[in-house]
Amino acid sequence: MSQKSHTHAQWSSRVAFLLAAVGSSVGLGNIWKFPYMTGESGGGAFVLVYLICIALIGLPILMSEWMLGRLGQKNPMSTMQQISGRLKRSPAWALVGLAGILGAYLILSFYSVIGGWALAYVKYAVTNTFGGLDNDSVGGLFGGLLESPTALLGWHSVFMIMTVGVVIGGVAGGLERAAKTLMPALGILLLVMVLYAATTPGFAEGASYLLMPDLSKLTGETVLAALGHAFFTLSLGMGIMMAYGSYLSDDVNIGRTAVTVAIMDTVIALMAGLAIFPIVFSNGLDAGAGPGLIFQTLPLAFGQMSGGWFFGILFFVLLVFAAWTSSISLLEPIVEWLEEKSPLSRTGATIAAGLATWALGIATVLSFNLWSGVHPLGVFAMFEGKTIFDLLDYLTSKIMLPLTGLATIIFVGWYMQRDELRTQLNMSSGAFSVWYAISRFITPIGVAAVFIFGLLH
Ligand code: TRP
């Protein structure tokens, strides 16, 4: 237990909490990963599976994490320890919280490197580097960035300092303030981008690519990717929403707020797709470019179109804002845990956590250049050719997030008392019964089935 005399911090209002939660969930996942994964998996079929995963798996787990956090009022590990202790369940449930903190650490280490790419691209956009680029030189720009350990390390360091700078300020002074200013700005920027995309000749093609499912393109891998992404984009399975819930007051309606966050997160991902694919198609480019989609394909379009300088800056600033409000949420549970478990102050804990994450990030930086030939688990067929960065991404999104999410929903659905859940969630009895049935059966079976199927595939 903490020796410090402070009472546990709280969000200042429901709206502040909502913005912070949306800030966490809307991130690189929405603007970078979702469009490129959709492109790689052939469009609407992926989107359809992803939407089902959000509704039947993401939403119940989001509500569960907030509820557990609010009941425990501590860092995710102590929260799980305390609630399982009170219910006389195995103390091993604390491992779920611990796995979450570890996962947040792993994710942030590579998230910050990608956030650094976004910063570098803001600089390229401002200095009009995209103007007049052709297919080869745009690839050269991206490749040149990835090949340079010092450039990547520099941008990664700046991004980490930005993250630490906000988290040091605490819940109200740091997390809330950042979300309140950055999220509305992000919404406006994205809307402008979509309106612009709507004027391009490829809009209809882009929109139907995103929204018309071609089910023949579905594979086991696509379904696992959609599941992993549903966790990633809602910030689930890593104790983050549990940590956010621990600052939540009793009068906030968890169900309604969770639906709002899931809808906003999904709408923003779809808007990112609606902004990006029409531009890609209007310029005759390839939607299936993979992780380079927004760093290669889009700049090429910005370089060719009129107003491209302006929209290029807009887009990459938006990307930085999205990444920033998410990275602060990844650092928060680590800091909360360190602060409560060690004698460190908030400032000390934030700096220590930031430094440790920065250090691990160096492995991701090197994955793109000096260590690009290093494939640590390459002897196993499923990890063949995977760099350290690929492994971190795979291990977290496709394994740790689903597994801790599964453990969380089983704990809530099968080990907690129905009455307590009912009081906590404060829903009408009809809505509660539906939620309870989904959470006990559909969600865990869905996660387990997709997980096993995807791994065997
Ligand atoms: N949800 C964020 C995104 O879409 C990333 C993120 C923030 C995250 N916190 C997380 C992912 C916790 C998994 C777990 O970019």
Side-chain angles (χ1 to χ4, degrees):
M1 275 287 275
S2 164
Q3 301 298 309
K4 283 163 259 171
S5 57
H6 63 247
T7 52
H8 201 69
Q10 286 214 337
W11 303 106
S12 60
S13 67
R14 174 175 182 266
V15 176
F17 168 68
L18 187 71
L19 280 174
V22 173
S24 167
S25 68
V26 172
L28 291 170
N30 303 62
I31 322 271
W32 167 64
K33 258 188 151 179
F34 174 76
Y36 93 69
M37 291 175 82
T38 304
E40 274 182 342
S41 311
F46 173 82
V47 177
L48 181 69
V49 181
Y50 158 82
L51 292 178
I52 296 173
C53 289
I54 293 279
L56 292 182
I57 293 171
L59 203 52
I61 297 182
L62 180 59
M63 293 170 65
S64 300
E65 286 204 21
W66 282 348
M67 185 183 58
L68 289 169
R70 184 166 71 181
L71 279 170
Q73 297 274 308
K74 295 216 167 51
N75 71 75
M77 184 182 162
S78 309
T79 285
M80 288 306 289
Q81 216 162 21
Q82 186 202 317
I83 301 177
S84 58
R86 173 165 62 79
L87 298 172
K88 311 228 164 5
R89 304 296 183 189
S90 158
W93 285 107
L95 288 177
V96 174
L98 189 64
I101 295 168
L102 177 70
Y105 172 62
L106 298 179
I107 293 182
L108 184 55
S109 77
F110 70 80
Y111 204 86
S112 168
V113 176
I114 317 289
W117 297 358
L119 285 174
Y121 271 68
V122 169
K123 184 188 146 201
Y124 298 155
V126 170
T127 53
N128 203 10
T129 312
F130 307 141
L133 287 184
D134 61 20
N135 216 342
D136 291 339
S137 50
V138 84
L141 185 67
F142 188 51
L145 175 67
L146 296 193
E147 265 162 33
S148 163
T150 47
L152 284 186
L153 188 63
W155 291 115
H156 163 54
S157 309
V158 175
F159 191 83
M160 233 21 250
I161 290 170
M162 286 165 56
T163 305
V164 166
V166 173
V167 175
I168 265 183
V171 171
L175 307 194
E176 259 187 50
R177 247 207 353 224
K180 273 188 196 155
T181 36
L182 297 177
M183 292 321 289
L186 182 142
I188 295 170
L189 295 184
L190 194 55
L191 196 63
V192 173
M193 287 294 303
V194 173
L195 291 178
Y196 168 75
T199 67
T200 62
F203 187 71
E205 192 187 349
S208 77
Y209 180 75
L210 193 66
L211 302 173
M212 297 291 197
D214 173 359
L215 292 181
S216 68
K217 297 223 170 102
L218 271 192
T219 65
E221 214 169 313
T222 311
V223 179
L224 180 62
L227 174 78
H229 190 63
F231 278 97
F232 189 89
T233 192
L234 288 179
S235 306
L236 296 177
M238 293 286 107
I240 277 154
M241 289 306 186
M242 234 187 258
Y244 273 37
S246 76
Y247 307 126
L248 198 55
S249 65
D250 283 335
D251 53 355
V252 170
N253 184 316
I254 287 182
R256 215 182 314 138
T257 314
V259 172
T260 313
V261 168
I263 291 180
M264 288 176 84
D265 184 77
T266 305
V267 166
I268 290 186
L270 292 174
M271 281 172 73
L274 277 183
I276 291 168
F277 289 118
I279 297 181
V280 169
F281 290 128
S282 299
N283 291 278
L285 300 167
D286 174 20
L293 181 67
I294 66 171
F295 294 104
Q296 281 180 281
T297 314
L298 265 192
L300 193 56
F302 290 137
Q304 290 165 359
M305 68 201 212
S306 61
W309 176 73
F310 177 72
F311 286 108
I313 298 177
L314 259 182
F315 181 81
F316 287 107
V317 166
L318 178 166
L319 185 64
V320 168
F321 283 3
W324 197 9
T325 51
S326 296
S327 67
I328 59 183
S329 82
L330 282 158
L331 192 56
E332 179 59 27
I334 314 173
V335 170
E336 189 185 25
W337 178 71
L338 264 186
E339 201 189 354
E340 289 174 8
K341 290 283 175 191
S342 78
L344 290 174
S345 64
R346 170 115 198 152
T347 307
T350 313
I351 292 173
L355 271 177
T357 318
W358 174 83
L360 183 63
I362 296 174
T364 291
V365 163
L366 296 176
S367 299
F368 295 105
N369 36 70
L370 302 178
W371 292 356
S372 60
V374 178
H375 306 139
L377 297 177
V379 287
F380 301 104
M382 67 192 277
F383 298 127
E384 208 184 303
K386 284 198 173 6
T387 62
I388 297 178
F389 162 70
D390 297 331
L391 283 178
L392 284 171
D393 184 22
Y394 191 93
L395 180 73
T396 51
S397 332
K398 297 201 176 138
I399 298 183
M400 294 181 74
L401 298 182
L403 282 185
T404 46
L406 182 62
T408 306
I409 199 72
I410 290 179
F411 182 77
V412 168
W414 293 90
Y415 290 80
M416 289 183 69
Q417 271 137 10
R418 192 177 195 277
D419 289 344
E420 182 172 28
L421 299 177
R422 173 83 217 271
T423 322
Q424 275 298 319
L425 294 178
N426 193 16
M427 295 196 261
S428 72
S429 75
F432 178 77
S433 301
V434 173
W435 178 85
Y436 196 52
I438 292 180
S439 300
R440 278 164 73 92
F441 299 103
I442 301 190
T443 312
I445 293 172
V447 179
V450 171
F451 181 73
I452 293 168
F453 181 63
L455 282 191
L456 293 181
H457 216 75

